[in-house]
Amino acid sequence: MPFAELLPLLKRAHTLSTIGELLGWDEQVNLPPGAAEQRAAQHSAMAEVVHAAASAPRMGELLSQLEATPELSAETQAVVREARRDYDRATKLPPDFVREKAAQGSRGFHAWARAKAGDDFASYAPFLEKNLELARREAAYLGHGDSPYDYMLDKHDPGVTAAAVDRLFTELKRDLVPLVRAIVASPIAARARAAGERLRGFPINAQQMFLREVTGRIGFDYQRGRIDVSLHPFCSGTGSDVRMTTRYQEDQPLDALFSSIHETGHGLYEQGLPAEHLGNALGIHAGMAMHESQSRLWENQVARSRGFWRFFEPRWRELFPAPTREVSSEDLYLAINAVEPTLIRVDADEVTYNLHIILRFEIEKRLFTGELPVRDLPAAWRVASRELIGLEPATDREGVLQDVHWSDGAFGYFPSYCLGNMIAAQLWYRVLELRPAIEEDFARGDFRWLLDWLRENVHAQGRRFRALELVRRVTGQELSPKHLTRYLRERYGGLYGVHP
Ligand code: ZN
C-alpha cells in the first residue's frame, strides 16, 4: 500500500520541520544575545535534516505510484496533491541555487537595514534586482517561468493567481477609497484619535492578566499552547503545542490586547486542525489567506464589536481603575475603532490597512511584468501612496523601504493579509445568517457557538480544499470583496456618521 507507506514519511518530515520552528520561536523569545551564531549553526544543520526528509527519493516513488492509481478517494487525492507540491519544491531547486538564495537573502536583509537607517534606496536597489532575478529563476525551476508572480502568490496561497487578486483588489479599491476619505473628514475621527491618546499608564502585569482572561475566554487552550513576549508578535507551532507572542507598552494598552487576540485567532486555527492528520494535507491549514482570516475575524469582527465590550469592559475597568476613570464607554469604543491614515503599514487601522496591501500588490505585479524598473520604485511608491492613502512619504524610509519582506525575496506574501480580511468578512456574514444575534452571545462572554462553527467548517477541513474552494463551500459564494466593504460600511459608517 503506497499510501500507508507515504503517511509516516510525511509525518516525519513535518515533525522535523516543527523542531526547526521551535528553534525559531526560542530565538525570538529566549535567546541570550551572545548565542546568535550558535543558533544560526543549529538552524542550518536542522534545515539540512528537514530537507533530506522532505526530498527522500522513496517519497517521490510513492507519489508517482499513487498518481498513477485510478480511483483514489477524495481525501487521498488531497494528500497526494499537496505532498507533490511540497516534494517538487524540495527537489526541483538545484542545491547551488538554494545556497545562493539563502546567502543572498541574508545579504539583502542587511543591505535593507542599512538602507532604511540611512534613507538610501540606491544602495539597496541592486539587492532587490538580484532578489527579483532569483524569484524568476525559482519559478522557472518549478515550471512557472512564464508566470513567476503567480508562482510567488501560490507559494503562500495555493491556487491563487495574480489575475484573481487583481480583480478582487480593483473592486475593493473602488469602494474603499471613498469610504476612507469620508471617515477621515468626519469630526468623529478627531474624537477617536483623542480618546486613544488618553489611554495611558496601564500596568503591564494587569495587562497580562486581562489578555490572558480574554484569550482564554474566547477559547485558546493554554494546556496546548502559551503566550510569551517578543519584539514582533507572532504565532508558531501547531496541534498541541502552539506558541504565541505579544509585547506590552504601558501607554498603548490596546496594542498588546488586539495583537494577542489576532495571534489567538491563528492559534485557535492551529489547535483546531485534526490531530490525527498532523503532517499531511488533512491536518494542515488551507494557506496564509485562510490563516489570516481566522486571526482577523477574532480581532476585528468579534473583538471590535459592542457585544464583546459589553462583557469585557467591566473587568477592564476593574483591573485598571486609575487610567480608565476619565474614559467613557463611548470613547473606549471609539479608541478601539479609530481610523487614521498613516504612511506605515504596520501602524494602520483595520480600514486603511487594506489600501497598504493593494499598493504593494500593484507594485509587485508591475515589478514582475518588468513594466516597473527597480530604480523607479521610490517614485512609483509615492504616487501610489498619494492616490490610495492620501499621504505622500517625505522619505523612502516611510515609503518603499519600510517593509522587510522583499529584502530576502518574500514576494507575493502581502496579498494574503487583505484576502484574509475579505474571507473573514464573508465568513462573518454567513455566521450572521445562521445566528443573527451572535453579539448577544458575546455580551454574555459566550464564544462557544462561533468557535464550534469555525472548528467544524474551517479548522477540521485542513487543506482538503484550497482556500478559494473552501470559501465557496462554506459560504455558498465565490470570494468577493463586497462582504468586506459591507462590513466596513456598517461598522465604521455608522460610528463615524458617514454613508458614501
Ligand atoms: Zn496574522
Side-chain angles (χ1 to χ4, degrees), residues 45-56:
M46 201 59 219
E48 277 177 37
V49 176
V50 170
H51 183 261
S55 59

Side-chain angles (χ1 to χ4, degrees), residues 262-263 266 288 291-292 295-296 417:
H262 177 98
E263 301 308 336
H266 287 303
M288 288 320 298
H291 229 303
E292 207 56 32
S295 55
R296 299 294 175 146
Y417 298 123

Side-chain angles (χ1 to χ4, degrees), residues 22-294:
L22 209 48
L23 284 177
W25 170 84
D26 180 71
E27 182 172 4
Q28 299 204 43
V29 172
N30 293 317
L31 202 71
E37 217 161 296
Q38 199 166 316
R39 179 51 48 90
Q42 290 166 331
H43 270 307
S44 98
M46 201 59 219
E48 277 177 37
V49 176
V50 170
H51 183 261
S55 59
R58 183 65 188 147
M59 213 190 272
E61 291 163 17
L62 294 167
L63 284 171
S64 301
Q65 283 177 34
L66 285 159
E67 284 159 348
T69 308
E71 293 175 17
L72 295 177
S73 73
E75 290 197 344
T76 304
Q77 282 179 34
V79 172
V80 170
R81 177 192 72 213
E82 297 303 322
R84 162 61 70 194
R85 182 170 175 272
D86 294 343
Y87 187 75
D88 283 354
R89 295 217 160 132
T91 56
K92 286 196 170 174
L93 298 176
D96 280 352
F97 174 83
V98 174
R99 265 193 295 278
E100 186 185 356
K101 188 168 178 245
Q104 180 62 26
S106 158
R107 281 194 291 268
F109 172 78
H110 293 292
W112 166 75
R114 271 195 312 273
K116 188 177 177 185
D119 194 37
D120 175 18
F121 178 79
S123 71
Y124 174 51
F127 294 88
L128 213 41
E129 301 262 16
K130 182 74 187 170
N131 286 348
L132 268 172
E133 181 215 316
L134 290 171
R136 287 203 181 89
R137 269 168 64 199
E138 181 179 331
Y141 284 128
L142 269 304
H144 299 279
D146 53 351
S147 53
Y149 191 46
D150 282 345
Y151 167 79
M152 288 290 140
L153 292 164
D154 181 90
K155 261 178 110 163
H156 315 294
D157 284 299
V160 167
T161 63
V165 176
D166 202 25
R167 187 174 49 74
L168 294 165
F169 283 10
T170 302
E171 188 181 334
L172 180 65
K173 178 165 96 172
R174 189 195 63 205
D175 294 334
L176 199 51
V177 170
L179 178 63
V180 170
R181 298 280 193 277
I183 290 174
V184 174
S186 153
I188 296 170
R191 185 177 156 197
R193 205 158 47 236
E197 280 161 13
R198 283 212 303 282
L199 301 178
R200 295 274 182 267
F202 285 65
I204 288 182
N205 56 355
Q207 285 195 44
Q208 275 170 328
M209 193 183 297
F210 185 61
L211 77 80
R212 176 107 184 186
E213 287 178 18
V214 170
T215 53
R217 166 69 71 160
I218 63 184
F220 188 79
D221 179 357
Y222 279 98
Q223 294 299 312
R224 301 193 298 140
R226 49 184 292 141
I227 187 159
D228 294 272
V229 172
S230 69
L231 195 55
H232 302 288
F234 66 92
C235 176
S236 72
T238 188
S240 56
D241 189 4
V242 174
R243 309 290 177 103
M244 311 192 291
T245 67
T246 187
R247 58 182 170 197
Y248 299 96
Q249 290 164 276
E250 289 201 343
D251 294 339
Q252 298 210 7
L254 297 179
D255 184 52
L257 178 64
F258 278 89
S259 85
S260 305
I261 296 171
H262 177 98
E263 301 308 336
T264 296
H266 287 303
L268 290 171
Y269 190 6
E270 290 293 336
Q271 289 185 334
L273 293 167
E276 67 275 26
H277 298 302
L278 201 63
N280 69 59
L282 305 178
I284 193 179
H285 63 82
M288 288 320 298
M290 190 54 82
H291 229 303
E292 207 56 32
S293 80
Q294 298 306 291

Side-chain angles (χ1 to χ4, degrees), residues 366-377:
R366 290 165 63 209
L367 279 175
F368 272 88
T369 58
E371 189 190 321
L372 177 63
V374 166
R375 64 170 183 279
D376 293 343
L377 256 177

